[in-house]
């Protein structure tokens, strides 16, 4: 039969009870620090009706004062979506003037600006513009400027350094796509891929399928992973055209895959 142990005097000394007056004062300070209206934690960027847009920590339109953004993990050193620096004059000089003479750069910038349109039209007219989105690839030799185009497109809505590497799991790419809801998902040069997270063939098939599908794969409920949804376009770059890369890695592209990953 177990005997109960005697109370530990030292333990009772260390756990002194806070006086009631101090407890009330602490709760009162918490109430004073609360915003006048309750706020909603936004788990991803994008449109919030009516007339609001969550762009990282920047709230646009009616989203101001109503939402707070969840900080994206692992990007604090590079900055986050919505961060900005410099001036409009700087952009006109360093990017805008170049875009006037570069169809590739103009395409990248316009693609980034077009990303919110499907959700905007669906919310305001109840009409779906597209059955699915697409990922566009820029191919060219080293030094041709393709990576600069991808960086400039990413710079439309955040730091241009926020490019995703090609080493990702399926779930990791799904989470990344959701973090770019109503925005552009940008991936670094295909040459940066390593086989740590899977083969290049698997990675390219995932990019082709996942970003354009708009929802994560149905996983067992025992995994406790929530279903993710998004609307995003993608922009990638490679030293060779996708058809040539697909041939080299033994991936026979279907017409549907070509349409989703031109």
């Amino acid at each position: 039969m177990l005997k109960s142990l005697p109370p530990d005097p030292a333990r009772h000394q260390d756990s002194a009870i806070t006086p009631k007056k101090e407890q009330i004062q602490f709760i009162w300070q918490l109430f004073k620090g609360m915003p006048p209206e309750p706020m909603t934690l936004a788990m991803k960027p994008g449109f919030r009706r009516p007339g609001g847009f969550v762009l990282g920590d920047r709230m646009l339109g009616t989203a101001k004062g109503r939402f707070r953004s969840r900080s994206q993990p692992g990007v604090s050193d590079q900055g986050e979506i919505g961060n900005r620096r410099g001036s409009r004059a700087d952009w006109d000089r360093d990017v805008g003037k170049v875009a006037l003479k570069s169809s590739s750069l103009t395409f990248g910038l316009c693609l980034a600006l077009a990303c919110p349109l499907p959700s905007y039209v669906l919310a305001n007219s109840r009409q779906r513009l597209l059955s699915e989105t697409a990922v566009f690839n820029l191919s060219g030799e080293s030094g041709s400027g393709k990576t600069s185009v991808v960086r400039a497109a990413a710079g439309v809505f955040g730091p241009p350094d926020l490019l995703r590497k090609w080493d990702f799991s399926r779930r990791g790419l799904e989470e990344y796509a959701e973090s770019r809801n109503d925005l552009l998902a940008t991936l670094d040069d295909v040459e940066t891929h390593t086989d740590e997270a899977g083969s290049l063939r698997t990675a390219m098939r995932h990019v082709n399928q996942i970003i354009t599908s708009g929802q994560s794969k149905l996983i067992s409920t025992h995994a406790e992973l929530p279903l993710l949804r998004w609307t995003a376009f993608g922009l990638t770059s490679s030293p060779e055209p996708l058809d040539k890369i697909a041939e080299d890695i033994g991936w026979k592209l279907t017409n549907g895959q070509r349409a989703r990953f031109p």
Side-chain angles (χ1 to χ4, degrees):
M1 183 175 181
L2 296 177
K3 295 182 179 180
S4 59
L5 296 175
D8 185 353
R11 184 179 176 184
H12 282 276
Q13 279 185 340
D14 293 339
S15 58
I17 299 176
T18 305
K20 182 177 180 181
K21 184 178 180 181
E22 293 184 18
Q23 295 178 14
I24 295 175
Q25 186 178 9
F26 174 73
I27 297 298
W28 179 244
Q29 291 297 327
L30 291 179
F31 276 119
K32 289 177 64 177
M34 291 176 61
E37 297 292 336
M39 302 181 71
T40 302
L41 180 63
M43 306 302 288
K44 60 185 176 183
F47 279 105
R48 299 296 189 276
R49 290 184 288 176
F53 196 96
V54 174
L55 186 63
D57 288 335
R58 292 180 61 194
M59 303 298 159
L60 308 178
T62 57
K64 293 180 180 179
R66 299 180 58 195
F67 293 89
R68 176 169 294 176
S69 177
R70 181 190 67 169
S71 178
Q72 297 296 326
V75 298
S76 57
D77 294 339
Q78 298 173 302
E80 296 192 36
I81 291 174
N83 291 168
R84 59 182 177 180
R85 59 184 299 182
S87 65
R88 174 66 181 274
D90 295 334
W91 191 92
D92 287 343
R93 181 191 66 241
D94 299 332
V95 182
K97 286 186 177 180
V98 180
L100 291 175
K101 299 181 179 181
S102 171
S103 57
S104 298
L105 180 54
T106 299
F107 170 77
L109 298 176
C110 289
L111 177 62
L113 293 171
C115 288
L117 289 179
S119 294
Y120 177 81
V121 172
L122 181 62
N124 288 274
S125 67
R126 301 296 180 183
Q127 295 182 358
R128 189 175 296 276
L129 282 179
L130 303 166
S131 58
E132 59 185 4
T133 59
V135 179
F136 297 90
N137 183 70
L138 303 174
S139 61
E141 298 178 354
S142 178
S144 60
K146 59 185 184 299
T147 300
S148 297
V149 172
V150 178
R151 285 169 52 85
V156 170
F157 54 84
D161 296 328
L162 293 183
L163 306 184
R164 185 68 166 81
K165 298 294 185 182
W166 272 85
D167 298 320
F168 45 74
S169 64
R170 181 187 181 97
R171 182 66 181 186
L173 185 60
E174 291 170 347
E175 292 176 354
Y176 173 67
E178 189 192 48
S179 74
R180 295 299 185 268
N181 180 57
D182 288 339
L183 298 173
L184 184 65
T186 53
L187 294 171
D188 208 347
D189 198 310
V190 174
E191 284 186 310
T192 63
H193 175 269
T194 65
D195 292 331
E196 294 178 4
S199 67
L200 176 59
R201 177 177 176 177
T202 298
M204 294 187 71
R205 292 184 68 171
H206 281 172
V207 169
N208 186 302
Q209 175 188 1
I210 291 174
I211 295 177
T212 60
S213 69
Q215 65 179 16
S216 60
K217 182 180 180 181
L218 182 61
I219 302 176
S220 169
T221 55
H222 297 292
E224 297 183 354
L225 294 175
L227 182 66
L228 308 178
R229 295 185 182 277
W230 62 85
T231 299
F233 286 87
L235 186 62
T236 69
S237 64
S238 64
E240 296 179 316
L242 290 182
D243 283 343
K244 177 65 168 60
I245 297 176
E247 182 181 351
D248 291 342
I249 62 177
W251 177 26
K252 187 175 182 181
L253 291 166
T254 65
N255 290 335
Q257 289 169 334
R258 286 192 174 93
R260 289 192 297 269
F261 204 176

